[in-house]
Amino acid sequence: MKRAISEAAKDQRRDLILDAALEEFFESGFRAARMDDIARRAGISKGTVYLYFNSKEEVFTALVTSIALPKIEHIEQTLKRSGNIKAALHALFQYIPTVIRESKMPKMVKILISDARAFPEVVRDYRENVLNRLFSALTALLKRGCRSGEIHTPAPEHAARLLVAPVIFSAIWIVIFEEDRRSVLDVEGLFAAHEAMVLKALAVPAERRK
C-alpha cells in the first residue's frame, strides 16, 4: 500500500487507524490490544501505524482528542451563549442524547471503565482535559444562576457532576445491554425526565424568593 502523500490522504489514513483502534480497544480491552492488532483491523502494516503513532497510549489520547474534545468545546460554547440557566440546561439535555447515540462516546467510556488501571496517565489526561473542563463549565453555569437568583444549590460543584451522571449510565447500558433489542434505552426520554427533576431540584425555595 502506498504511503499517504497528500494531507487529505494522511488525515484519512489517521482516521482509519483511530477507528480500528477504537474497535480493538473496545472488543479486546486496552491492556490486551496490540499495535499489530490495530494495523490488522485497519488493513495496513504495523509500520504504517507507527508512522502516525508511537504507542497505543498515544493512539488513545488521539481518540480522546478526536471524539471527546469537540463535544466539550460545543458544550462550553452553548452554556456561554445561553441567556438564562433554564435555556442552557435545556440545550445541554437536548445535545447529550445526540452525543450518546451518534458518537463513539459509549465505547470510550466502556474502555476507560474496563482498563483504567492499565493506562493511568491516559486516564488522568482524560479526567483533566475532558471531565474537569466539563465540570468547570457546569459549575460556572450553576454559580451564575445562583448569583442571578434563577436557581439555588448549596453545592454547585457536586450538582455539576450530578447533571451529567446519566451519561455514564446511558453509555454503560448501551454497550452492555443493547445487543438485546428488547433493552434499547430511550435516551431522549431519560434526559427529558432528568431535566424536569434537575429544574425542580434547583428551584429557588419560597423563603429565598424576593
Side-chain angles (χ1 to χ4, degrees):
M1 184 176 291
K2 293 182 179 180
R3 182 175 298 180
I5 54 175
S6 69
E7 289 303 316
K10 289 179 181 178
D11 289 342
Q12 290 176 354
R13 184 70 58 79
R14 187 175 186 275
D15 290 343
L16 178 67
I17 294 169
L18 291 178
D19 287 343
L22 180 67
E23 295 304 319
E24 186 64 33
F25 294 154
F26 178 70
E27 293 183 10
S28 303
F30 183 86
R31 190 189 301 272
R34 303 175 304 164
M35 295 292 266
D36 306 65
D37 301 320
I38 295 171
R40 188 180 307 109
R41 190 180 287 268
I44 58 179
S45 69
K46 183 171 70 171
T48 301
V49 175
Y50 277 107
L51 289 174
Y52 293 84
F53 304 102
N54 294 319
S55 65
K56 63 182 182 181
E57 288 80 7
E58 194 172 300
V59 173
F60 191 84
T61 298
L63 280 170
V64 171
T65 301
S66 65
I67 296 174
L69 288 186
K71 312 298 186 298
I72 297 302
E73 291 168 359
H74 177 87
I75 290 172
E76 288 173 334
Q77 293 303 313
T78 298
L79 298 183
K80 288 179 181 178
R81 288 196 305 265
S82 299
N84 59 66
I85 304 306
K86 287 186 178 180
L89 291 175
H90 182 69
L92 175 69
F93 294 138
Q94 288 285 304
Y95 177 64
I96 289 178
T98 302
V99 171
I100 292 171
R101 280 299 180 199
E102 298 181 10
S103 80
K104 301 163 185 173
M105 188 67 70
K107 289 185 176 181
M108 180 172 289
V109 170
K110 188 261 186 184
I111 295 165
L112 285 165
I113 292 173
S114 299
D115 276 334
R117 292 184 179 180
F119 52 122
E121 292 184 2
V122 176
V123 172
R124 183 176 62 249
D125 287 343
Y126 184 87
R127 184 184 67 243
E128 293 176 354
N129 296 320
V130 177
L131 295 181
N132 286 354
R133 279 181 63 176
L134 176 60
F135 295 148
S136 178
L138 291 172
T139 299
L141 175 75
L142 295 174
K143 287 182 176 180
R144 191 179 84 206
C146 289
R147 287 194 300 269
S148 67
E150 296 175 73
I151 61 171
H152 171 72
T153 175
E157 293 83 2
H158 294 317
R161 286 158 171 75
L162 291 173
L163 287 180
V164 293
V167 174
I168 304 299
F169 168 79
S170 300
I172 293 173
W173 185 279
I174 288 169
V175 298
I176 294 178
F177 298 114
E178 282 203 356
E179 286 189 9
D180 181 348
R181 301 309 297 174
R182 295 170 298 178
S183 300
V184 174
L185 180 66
D186 178 6
V187 181
E188 291 78 11
L190 175 68
F191 276 90
H194 184 55
E195 179 180 355
M197 291 174 61
V198 165
L199 292 177
K200 185 175 182 179
L202 293 176
V204 179
E207 62 271 18
R208 288 179 171 268
R209 296 173 191 163
K210 297 179 181 179

